[in-house]
Amino acid sequence: MGNLASPAPTAATPPTPPTPQPSPRADRKERIISLGSMLLFDIGLNIVLFRYARAAGATEVQAYLLAMIGPLVSVAIEAVRHRRLSRFSVFIIAMNLLSALVSVIGSSDPRVLLLKDSALTGGFGLVVLATVTPLVPRPLMFVISEKFATDGTDEGVARWRGMWKQYPGFRRGMRVITAVWGVAYLIEALIRVVAVYTLTFDTAYVVGSVLPTLVTFLVIGWTFWYGARMKKAGDSRRAAALREAAA
């Protein structure tokens, strides 16, 4: 039986061009715009509309529902800029619809609306803490940090995941970061519950509008500080290992 003929040579297939990655400056600009939108509409317009409605004689529930326009404006701007709805935007819309539903068929006590918001952040804190347990292979903040700590390429992601497998100190640090985030949101939810039952509805509403963002900024700042501390400690350990190997 004769040898099979080799396939005829064909023109080389041109390589697929790499997916363009945003430059650090563009990425920084995008984050600043998103932050400004959140501060201006999610918090600023939110509180202004609530205060205006209350001053005009609206009930607590009516003012609460009117103030939802602020976050929805922010969602609309993001959708126009990116020509799509992000998962977070869908979440915001769903929470606003839930608030409207609670106000219609829920308890006659308007404080239930504020308690619902506290339950969301408290529930998020519990979910975050649950990922620190041995039941979950990797803590949530390790998964979330992958987007910000890598350039999104296969090599960058593989290097990030490899650090989890290779360095016990890195695994311990990511669990600490995750635990701090979970505890922070549980404390935030508890403060809001206390505010609901000890302050007027109007004051508790303002506290509930500002506190989540404040806590998030504080925990992000702490995370950057702790991450830099982790990196410095890791560099010191690697330098010591190299000196020992060279001795």
Side-chain angles (χ1 to χ4, degrees):
M1 186 174 179
N3 293 334
L4 295 176
S6 300
T10 59
T13 303
T16 302
T19 302
Q21 299 292 329
S23 66
R25 172 176 290 184
D27 189 53
R28 191 181 306 113
K29 179 181 178 181
E30 177 63 27
R31 293 182 185 180
I32 291 174
I33 292 175
S34 297
L35 174 61
S37 176
M38 181 183 66
L39 294 176
L40 181 61
F41 298 107
D42 293 51
I43 299 177
L45 183 59
N46 190 18
I47 294 176
V48 168
L49 289 174
F50 180 84
R51 290 290 196 183
Y52 173 79
R54 291 292 287 151
T59 66
E60 290 95 339
V61 174
Q62 291 170 341
Y64 182 98
L65 294 176
L66 178 65
M68 290 192 304
I69 294 176
L72 292 178
V73 169
S74 179
V75 167
I77 292 175
E78 289 296 308
V80 170
R81 291 181 61 241
H82 299 288
R83 298 182 181 179
R84 64 179 177 84
L85 281 176
S86 66
R87 294 179 180 178
F88 183 72
S89 296
V90 173
F91 174 77
I92 293 296
I93 294 173
M95 289 303 100
N96 280 275
L97 291 175
L98 176 61
S99 297
L101 185 62
V102 169
S103 68
V104 173
I105 65 174
S107 170
S108 59
D109 188 349
R111 291 181 298 183
V112 171
L113 292 170
L114 302 182
L115 293 175
K116 179 266 302 176
D117 298 334
S118 302
L120 289 174
T121 52
F124 174 73
L126 289 175
V127 169
V128 172
L129 286 177
T131 65
V132 183
T133 66
L135 299 176
V136 182
R138 294 173 180 173
L140 181 61
M141 296 315 297
F142 171 82
V143 178
I144 294 177
S145 298
E146 183 177 289
K147 174 179 174 58
F148 303 99
T150 71
D151 56 5
T153 63
D154 293 340
E155 294 79 6
V157 171
R159 185 163 52 249
W160 176 255
R161 295 177 181 177
M163 291 174 63
W164 175 266
K165 297 178 181 179
Q166 188 174 359
Y167 302 113
F170 179 76
R171 294 195 295 269
R172 181 173 59 254
M174 292 308 302
R175 289 192 176 101
V176 170
I177 291 174
T178 302
V180 168
W181 276 77
V183 170
Y185 277 100
L186 285 178
I187 294 175
E188 183 266 354
L190 179 60
I191 293 174
R192 290 168 73 177
V193 169
V194 172
V196 168
Y197 284 105
T198 59
L199 304 174
T200 65
F201 183 93
D202 292 20
T203 304
Y205 178 85
V206 174
V207 170
S209 298
V210 175
L211 190 59
T213 302
L214 176 61
V215 169
T216 300
F217 283 159
L218 289 175
V219 181
I220 288 175
W222 177 87
T223 301
F224 277 116
W225 171 82
Y226 188 78
R229 180 183 173 187
M230 283 175 55
K231 184 178 184 303
K232 183 177 180 180
D235 291 343
S236 298
R237 285 193 296 268
R238 283 190 291 273
L242 289 174
R243 287 195 299 269
E244 183 177 345

